[in-house]
Amino acid sequence: MRIGAGINAGLRKRIRGGVHPPDNKHLTADKPIIRMEAPELVTIPLRQHIGAPCSPRVDKGDRVLVGTVIGDSEAFVSAPVHSSVSGTVRGIAPHPHPAGGESPAVIIENDGRYERDPSLQPLEWENMEPEDIRRAVREAGMVGLGGAAFPTHVKLAPPKEFPIDTVILNGAECEPFLTADYRLMLEHTEEVVEGLRIIMKAVGAPRAIIAVEDNKPLAVRRLAEVVRDPAIELRTLRTRYPQGAEKVLITNLLGREVPSGGLPMHVGVVVNNVGTARAITSYFRTGLPLVERVVTVTGSVIREPSNLLVPLGTSFAAAVEACGGFMSHPAKVIMGGPMMGLAQYTLEVPVVKGTSGILALSDEEAAYEIPREPVCIRCGRCVEACPMNLVPTYLAAFSHREKWDEARRLNINDCIECGCCTYTCPTRNPIVQLIKFGKAELARLKAAEERRAREREAAGQQGG
Amino acid sequence: METSRFIISTSPHIRDPITTRKIMCQVIIALAPVTLYSVIIHGIHGFYVILSSIAGALLGELAVQKARRLPVTLDDCSALLTGLLLALTLPPRVNWWIALVAGLVATVLGKQVFGGLGHNLFNPALVGRAVAFVSWAAYMTAGYVKSAAIGIANTSAHKAIEKAVDVAGGASPLAAMKIVYDPSLSPVGPGGVPHGIQASSYYKPLLFANPWGCLGEVSALLLILGGVYLVFMRIIDWRIPVIYVSTVAALTALTGRDPLFYTLAGGLLIGAIFMATDYTTSPLAPRGKVIYALGLGLVTWLLRFWSNNPEGVMFAILFMNGLVPIIDRYILPRTYGKVPRTKEASGS
């Protein structure tokens, strides 16, 4: 039943592709994680993960405590949202969201007491059934902290026909500038490894691999000191973006290829971020759900680039202020890293579960150019850089000219949007941008087609 | 805080500093030693040829872009490179106006009529050369007559070769060897067939100071160094030159001729390193590049040994350029995750 399993197993050939941008991690690599105070008002969006957004579970005027559920959903692909402070709900209103657009958010006035919800209790995961562990992970509001924010309990619940033989713990952190995962591996090594063991138990995997890029030798050494379990293997990877992308990671570590349109579980693998593992441990040890996360606030225009432990709902402005503010006006502010992060139009957006970094780029660094008519000199750099073995320049050209059949023929939907093609293009073509547009258009066309088909069917039934 | 002044655009937010202009300049740097050396060997006339060719190429580009009211892109250095490459494929004593016209043809007919940078089907420099070659055949071959400046390796072997080349009525070592191997081609009849020329006696001049070839064929060693530089700087893919040259050498050996001589002589090295690797006119994907290079080797070998013309590189590259769109349509990388369907796989 396992799609593609075994076909490429044992073929340990390193995937080609990728790029090697200057990593700029020196700005924050040696900065220990500092806890920051929540501001007077925290704004916690009810949309914090991929999947169904939550609906509010509190009302204006309610008193909430640290860890109180403020939003939840009945949907499977969803995780609850908790308050990161104690205080009073000032309202529920749409608010700009760092992932784009607006989301209903619970605005809480922080009383500064950080009173914990008394119902939160530590759990002994060693004595729990996998199913109970998964339920607990859901109750903790756990989502992937690498940036994609996919609800973790869903990842930990693969259907029976896809047994998991390997858990991969992703400590690659291949995005330039970001050091949040690195600091966690250094400072909270035991919790990271324990989180991995909880995940292994939850999915019933007999073995695990911790994958770290070779530009983090200290983290590798710390992990090697802590890992005592022979079922857990520590592996270093060549430093190369996008080494931390799930599919790339799986192929590089195991020689398995995730089938097109498939998931890691289809080749017997579950991938989790080191930050997620640490947060899981934290929940089982303290009972405190996911209400804070480590955020790398960095960039040459930040006065004191830092790794901050930030309560969710803190505005970007407050986080930047905690780092001494800007030295000069940034050209661009990004949530995440420079390769896949999202540009922000306002600093009023709150830190959410998926906020791995706040990056402020200067004019020169942002290197923004207004896209022109695409010119391709066919240098092949994008083809070489594409970790999915696509031909990005063709896909961009087909999107540009709206040649959808051709774009589909060349597998446009297999693009993981890592941006290597655009990064490496000497003519400054917005390649991945055009591909993203193409994918969105194709999805729109497909949805419209399905709607028409349904309408035809309905009309046919009426007529008959 | 003022927040309306942030740039909003989608990722990636940083770019590799490489640009088209930098790439072109790298190739020009790789060609600089052989260009300078050529002027030293062939004298000031070689310099005029190079200048005329570059002027023609720049003028052609400028004229079309002005006429079409397009932005002028001389600053991307691609026309400059085309002019230089073209010059290096011309005989050292060719008339300056032929070089000028060839340069014009290279950028106008070879490049701009297709839509400019990135759109041309054939290598512009070789289009320029091909037009000159068929239009002014006499001038083009006469241009090979040995330069006045020869005074380099004045050894006896050298003199013998020189004499033999003179007897053979012409031109390059390749032409001389063609006559050696095929007496019926000799312009001076069976009696005048040069004897005693060994292909191996050409090794040294071809590597270090070859006075008989085109401007760019003056030293195989400098061309190879330029190629190594470009591969090292990640400007060109090693596959095309290495596979191309190896194929020619292997087929030559199979034919029972001297593979080293046929590697060093003629336009093979400059073609393989600097022409066949032209981005726009070579396949995009690595596997396509391999097929293209194998094809180049085969066609070059066919033309060199089975046609009247001793040279085969120019037409081989132009011919394979024409096949690139077909190669690119069918030979692309296998997309990640498109695993071959098996019984096991089709179950779900």
Side-chain angles (χ1 to χ4, degrees):
Chain A
M1 274 313 277
R2 278 162 54 173
I3 319 173
I7 290 173
N8 291 294
L11 219 172
R12 300 223 166 182
K13 218 178 108 201
R14 274 170 189 262
I15 197 169
R16 58 183 200 89
V19 294
H20 190 48
D23 73 10
N24 285 312
K25 293 187 192 261
H26 62 276
L27 291 170
T28 51
D30 300 325
K31 305 282 184 67
I33 298 165
I34 308 167
R35 176 181 296 274
M36 97 167 252
E37 280 287 298
E40 256 169 62
L41 279 182
V42 295
T43 307
I44 304 177
L46 291 166
R47 166 160 69 86
Q48 296 229 22
H49 52 255
I50 295 172
C54 293
S55 24
R57 293 287 189 268
V58 288
D59 282 317
K60 188 173 174 177
D62 284 0
R63 176 159 163 78
V64 292
L65 305 172
V66 177
T68 303
V69 175
I70 56 173
D72 205 347
S73 159
E74 301 297 319
F76 178 58
V77 185
S78 188
V81 177
H82 307 80
S83 175
S84 56
V85 295
S86 58
T88 313
V89 175
R90 287 279 295 271
I92 297 160
H95 192 84
H97 192 283
E102 289 191 332
S103 158
V106 179
I107 301 157
I108 301 165
E109 190 174 336
N110 179 11
D111 63 13
R113 294 204 299 242
Y114 298 95
E115 215 175 304
R116 274 255 216 119
D117 197 315
S119 66
L120 304 172
Q121 293 303 325
L123 293 165
E124 291 276 345
W125 64 269
E126 277 97 342
N127 306 321
M128 288 168 70
E129 290 300 311
E131 201 179 312
D132 297 326
I133 294 178
R134 289 195 289 265
R135 193 174 309 125
V137 165
R138 185 188 183 282
E139 273 158 29
M142 207 58 66
V143 304
L145 298 184
F150 187 80
T152 305
H153 68 277
V154 181
K155 258 193 189 179
L156 300 190
K160 279 201 181 57
E161 53 280 29
F162 300 112
I164 302 302
D165 61 38
T166 310
V167 174
I168 293 175
L169 194 61
N170 187 355
E173 198 165 51
C174 57
E175 274 272 8
F177 287 98
L178 303 187
T179 54
D181 288 352
Y182 172 68
R183 290 310 308 182
L184 280 176
M185 287 189 279
L186 276 187
E187 297 177 42
H188 299 275
T189 326
E190 283 88 2
E191 290 168 63
V192 168
V193 175
E194 186 172 335
L196 172 59
R197 289 170 57 219
I198 299 173
I199 293 166
M200 286 169 75
K201 178 154 191 190
V203 298
R207 69 155 175 169
I209 300 172
I210 305 178
V212 187
E213 280 191 342
D214 56 14
N215 61 351
K216 305 172 186 72
L218 288 180
V220 175
R221 205 183 309 159
R222 275 295 291 142
L223 284 161
E225 285 164 17
V226 170
V227 175
R228 288 280 164 265
D229 189 340
I232 299 175
E233 192 188 341
L234 182 60
R235 292 265 292 269
T236 52
L237 299 162
R238 187 168 62 130
T239 301
R240 199 157 175 84
Y241 176 87
Q243 191 74 261
E246 271 188 347
K247 291 180 177 183
V248 176
L249 203 55
I250 290 169
T251 303
N252 284 356
L253 292 172
L254 299 168
R256 298 179 195 170
E257 219 170 280
V258 180
S260 172
L263 293 168
M265 69 175 185
H266 295 139
V267 290
V269 182
V270 160
V271 183
N272 278 276
N273 179 264
V274 290
T276 315
R278 186 260 171 173
I280 290 173
T281 307
S282 194
Y283 176 69
F284 281 91
R285 284 190 185 176
T286 66
L288 191 68
L290 185 61
V291 295
E292 58 188 12
R293 67 154 299 149
V294 182
V295 178
T296 304
V297 183
T298 186
S300 60
V301 298
I302 300 276
R303 197 169 306 273
E304 288 164 36
S306 319
N307 295 297
L308 295 181
L309 186 61
V310 186
L312 299 182
T314 303
S315 71
F316 279 27
V320 168
E321 218 44 59
C323 298
F326 296 120
M327 290 191 285
S328 60
H329 189 82
K332 226 182 210 184
V333 175
I334 296 157
M335 176 172 84
M339 293 299 291
M340 286 190 84
L342 301 163
Q344 304 296 318
Y345 68 93
T346 168
L347 292 177
E348 290 314 308
V349 290
V351 168
V352 293
K353 292 174 182 178
T355 309
S356 50
I358 298 172
L359 170 61
L361 293 178
S362 68
D363 258 326
E364 305 85 68
E365 288 169 318
Y368 180 75
E369 284 164 55
I370 292 169
R372 300 156 305 162
E373 190 72 5
V375 176
C376 172
I377 56 169
R378 294 170 45 88
C379 65
R381 278 177 163 73
C382 58
V383 182
E384 240 171 82
C386 180
M388 294 294 107
N389 291 356
L390 297 165
V391 186
T393 182
Y394 282 4
L395 296 178
F398 294 145
S399 289
H400 185 66
R401 288 182 265 145
E402 310 200 358
K403 299 208 167 201
W404 304 126
D405 289 340
E406 288 288 290
R408 255 196 235 109
R409 184 177 76 87
L410 294 188
N411 307 319
I412 190 168
N413 281 318
D414 284 288
C415 170
I416 59 169
E417 305 182 6
C418 65
C420 289
C421 47
T422 303
Y423 173 80
T424 194
C425 179
T427 69
R428 299 284 179 263
N429 270 356
I431 303 177
V432 73
Q433 291 87 339
L434 284 166
I435 294 175
K436 285 182 195 173
F437 161 74
K439 284 169 74 176
E441 278 295 290
L442 274 169
R444 201 180 57 80
L445 290 172
K446 195 176 163 206
E449 211 168 282
E450 278 166 8
R451 198 175 53 241
R452 273 199 302 276
R454 270 199 309 276
E455 280 167 8
R456 263 200 306 277
E457 206 171 292
Q461 273 166 1
Q462 263 176 2
Chain B
M1 183 169 302
E2 193 183 359
T3 55
S4 57
R5 282 169 47 217
F6 298 143
I7 296 169
I8 307 296
S9 64
T10 59
S11 59
H13 305 286
I14 51 173
R15 296 293 179 94
D16 192 313
I18 193 83
T19 60
T20 307
R21 180 194 161 92
K22 282 182 188 160
I23 290 170
M24 299 294 167
C25 290
Q26 288 294 332
V27 182
I28 291 168
I29 289 169
L31 284 169
V34 78
T35 308
L36 288 176
Y37 190 54
S38 189
V39 174
I40 292 169
I41 297 279
H42 292 297
I44 194 72
H45 191 86
F47 183 62
Y48 294 148
V49 171
I50 294 169
L51 275 190
S52 315
S53 167
I54 290 175
L58 293 175
L59 274 175
E61 182 116 327
L62 181 73
V64 175
Q65 289 181 335
K66 281 280 179 204
R68 293 188 59 203
R69 297 177 201 284
L70 293 170
V72 174
T73 57
L74 294 183
D75 62 342
D76 69 15
C77 294
S78 68
L80 175 62
L81 176 58
T82 297
L84 177 61
L85 268 176
L86 167 63
L88 294 180
T89 67
L90 294 176
R93 309 290 291 174
V94 79
N95 310 48
W96 66 269
W97 58 266
I98 291 183
L100 185 85
V101 174
L104 276 169
V105 168
T107 46
V108 175
L109 278 185
K111 180 177 171 191
Q112 289 295 339
V113 289
F114 292 94
L117 186 69
H119 296 294
N120 47 298
L121 188 55
F122 300 101
N123 185 308
L126 289 182
V127 170
R129 185 185 197 260
V131 168
F133 184 80
V134 296
S135 308
W136 299 289
Y139 291 92
M140 289 289 279
T141 42
Y144 279 120
V145 171
K146 65 180 168 45
S147 295
I150 300 173
I152 308 298
N154 215 359
T155 62
S156 55
H158 227 84
K159 281 179 185 150
I161 297 160
E162 238 175 79
K163 206 169 154 205
V165 172
D166 281 349
V167 173
S172 64
L174 271 184
M177 291 314 286
K178 197 165 188 76
I179 292 160
V180 170
Y181 282 110
D182 188 354
S184 68
L185 290 174
S186 170
V188 288
V193 173
H195 290 291
I197 303 180
Q198 293 295 315
S200 58
S201 60
Y202 280 110
Y203 290 168
K204 236 172 99 182
L206 285 173
L207 267 171
F208 301 109
N210 167 27
W212 304 287
C214 299
L215 281 165
E217 292 165 18
V218 73
S219 163
L221 188 68
L222 290 181
L223 290 173
I224 293 167
L225 287 178
V228 170
Y229 174 77
L230 290 180
V231 169
F232 181 74
M233 297 299 287
R234 306 180 64 88
I235 302 292
I236 62 170
D237 190 317
W238 62 271
R239 288 179 184 85
I240 292 175
V242 170
I243 294 173
Y244 182 5
V245 171
S246 308
T247 307
V248 172
L251 290 172
T252 304
L254 284 178
T255 328
R257 300 197 194 177
D258 185 331
L260 187 58
F261 169 79
Y262 280 95
T263 297
L264 299 177
L268 181 59
L269 287 175
I270 192 170
I273 296 167
F274 294 97
M275 308 280 188
T277 53
D278 172 32
Y279 293 150
T280 303
T281 57
S282 61
L284 260 178
R287 277 195 306 155
K289 285 176 180 161
V290 171
I291 289 169
Y292 170 75
L294 288 171
L296 282 169
L298 179 69
V299 177
T300 302
W301 173 76
L302 283 174
L303 289 176
R304 275 188 171 182
F305 297 160
W306 313 104
S307 80
N308 284 327
N309 195 343
E311 286 262 10
V313 172
M314 174 177 75
F315 286 119
I317 295 177
L318 288 172
F319 176 77
M320 289 305 294
N321 283 167
L323 294 186
V324 165
I326 299 173
I327 295 174
D328 269 349
R329 176 144 183 106
Y330 295 104
I331 314 293
L332 290 173
R334 181 185 67 83
T335 303
Y336 176 101
K338 294 284 177 193
V339 282
R341 285 260 157 193
T342 64
K343 259 186 190 165
E344 189 190 24
S346 57
S348 52

